[in-house]
Amino acid sequence: EKGGGKRAPLPPRIKAGDEVSFMVVEEAAQRTLKASTVKILPKGTVSFETVSETRLKGLVSDLKLGKDGLVTSGHVRHVLSSGVSKSSAGGSSEEAVTAQDTSHEAVVHVSFLLADVLEPRMLVAKGQSVEYCLATNKATGELKARAVTVLPTEGIVERVLESHGYLKADEPCPARMDREVRFEMSDVEKGDLGKMEKGNDVQFFFYLKAGAKDASAIKVKRVHRDKTPKEKMPERMRRQTEVVKVVIKMAAGPDGTRGFVSAGRGKGLVAPAPGSPLPSLNVEAAEFTFGSTPPNAGAFEDATE
C-alpha cells in the first residue's frame, strides 16, 4: 500500500477437496443461490455419512484415555458382511479401521470418539460389550461407530455391609476390572433393595463418578443363572429352556363362537328383559340314576312299536 503501509494478507486459495463453511444467499433478480462468507475448515471437520438404524453388538478392542481417565477414542470389533470389502471399511487409514481376514469373515476395528458415547461416565473398558450404530462415509466408505452404549456386566456379590457392598465381575471381564468393585445400596435396583446377599448373581454397570479415581458399580440387579451345563440337563428341561410355549383356549358358546362377552351371545340366547324373573331350577324334576328304569319307559317303548 502507499505510504509504507503493510499489504493486507490475501485470502487462502480454495481448491477442490477443501472442507468449507459458507452462507447461502439468494439473488432475487437472477433467481440463483450463491455461497457467501466461505471459510476453509481443518481437514476432517466435515463428514457426509449415513447412519444405520440397526443396533449392533461388539467388543471394545482398544482405547485411548484422557488425563481424567475418561475415554477419548477407541475401536469396536465389528464383523463385516460378505458383501463389504476391506477398502470400503476405511482402507489402510490407521485412525479409522484396521482389518484382518479369516477364512469365512472379515473383522474390522471401527473407531469411535468420546462424543459418540451416549453416557461418557459409564466406564468403557477394553473387552467391554457395547451396542452401537454403524455410520458409513459417503465419500470414502469409511466406517465409524456412533451412539455407543455400554451393555451390563455380570458378576457375583462378594460382601454385603450395611450401606454398601462389593462384587466381582465374571471372567473374562474388562481390562483392569478383575478386582472387587464397590457399590452403594442406593445404586441397587428398587426391587432388590434389602435382598442383596453374598453369592448373589448380579448385572451391573461400571461407572466413574465425578472426582473419583476408581470405578464403582451402579444399577446393580440380581439375576438368576442356571449353573447346570446344558448337556447334563434332562431332555424335558432342555426343551423348556429353549422353547417357551403358551397355549390359551377360549370357551366355546352354543353357536361355536369363543370368548366371554355380554349376555345374549350365541343363537337363541336373549338377555332377560328388565324386571322379568330370572330362570330357576325345576325343583319337581324326577330323580334318576344311571342303570335305573325311567318312570315313563313303558310309554316310550309303546310309542316306538
Side-chain angles (χ1 to χ4, degrees):
E1 292 183 0
K2 295 180 180 180
K6 293 184 179 179
R7 181 175 296 179
L10 295 174
R13 287 191 173 184
I14 298 176
K15 57 184 182 298
D18 281 347
E19 299 178 13
V20 297
S21 66
F22 60 94
M23 296 180 64
V24 177
V25 179
E26 181 180 5
E27 292 193 351
Q30 300 179 5
R31 295 185 179 181
T32 58
L33 298 177
K34 288 190 175 182
S36 174
T37 321
V38 181
K39 295 180 181 179
I40 299 178
L41 300 175
K43 196 167 184 63
T45 304
V46 180
S47 177
F48 298 95
E49 61 184 22
T50 56
V51 181
S52 170
E53 294 182 358
T54 305
R55 300 289 291 169
L56 305 171
K57 293 182 180 180
L59 293 177
V60 176
S61 55
D62 68 81
L63 288 171
K64 290 181 181 179
L65 304 179
K67 293 181 180 179
D68 56 359
L70 297 179
V71 175
T72 57
S73 64
H75 290 84
V76 176
R77 183 182 184 276
H78 173 73
V79 179
L80 289 173
S81 62
S82 57
V84 181
S85 64
K86 285 198 297 181
S87 59
S88 68
S92 58
S93 172
E94 180 179 307
E95 190 179 60
V97 179
T98 55
Q100 63 186 57
D101 287 322
T102 65
S103 56
H104 301 289
E105 61 186 24
V107 176
V108 297
H109 299 275
V110 186
S111 67
F112 65 91
L113 301 174
L114 174 62
D116 297 314
V117 181
L118 297 183
E119 177 46 79
R121 290 200 172 272
M122 287 285 191
L123 192 64
V124 183
K126 185 177 179 180
Q128 183 80 46
S129 296
V130 293
E131 270 191 354
Y132 59 97
C133 293
L134 197 63
T136 307
N137 188 298
K138 294 180 180 179
T140 64
E142 180 182 341
L143 301 179
K144 297 276 188 178
R146 302 292 190 216
V148 180
T149 56
V150 179
L151 295 177
T153 302
E154 293 192 344
I156 189 169
V157 176
E158 295 285 331
R159 290 182 286 158
V160 177
L161 304 177
E162 186 175 347
S163 61
H164 63 279
Y166 294 88
L167 52 81
K168 193 172 183 180
D170 289 344
E171 296 288 348
C173 65
R176 301 181 290 111
M177 291 294 112
D178 54 345
R179 54 178 175 78
E180 285 190 350
V181 180
R182 176 171 170 151
F183 66 92
E184 304 294 332
M185 289 303 169
S186 58
D187 290 321
V188 175
E189 293 290 294
K190 188 175 181 180
D192 291 325
L193 275 174
K195 300 178 183 178
M196 283 293 169
E197 297 177 353
K198 180 180 178 179
N200 282 157
D201 293 319
V202 290
Q203 279 186 346
F204 62 96
F205 293 88
F206 290 111
Y207 191 81
L208 191 61
K209 295 183 178 180
K213 294 183 179 179
D214 294 324
S216 56
I218 66 169
K219 297 186 178 181
V220 184
K221 180 176 68 173
R222 295 188 306 164
V223 293
H224 173 72
R225 295 186 293 182
D226 196 336
K227 297 179 174 60
T228 306
K230 209 170 187 179
E231 57 273 10
K232 293 186 179 180
M233 286 185 182
E235 179 64 28
R236 60 180 181 81
M237 291 183 65
R238 281 205 296 269
R239 288 198 302 268
Q240 289 174 357
T241 58
E242 292 170 358
V243 180
V244 178
K245 187 176 181 181
V246 178
V247 178
I248 299 175
K249 292 184 178 181
M250 302 296 289
D255 60 347
T257 59
R258 294 185 178 273
F260 295 92
V261 292
S262 59
R265 179 179 68 86
K267 297 177 181 178
L269 296 178
V270 181
S276 62
L278 296 174
S280 59
L281 295 174
N282 183 2
V283 295
E284 299 180 355
E287 182 180 354
F288 72 93
T289 57
F290 288 103
S292 63
T293 304
N296 59 349
F300 178 77
E301 291 174 357
D302 294 340
T304 54
E305 291 177 358

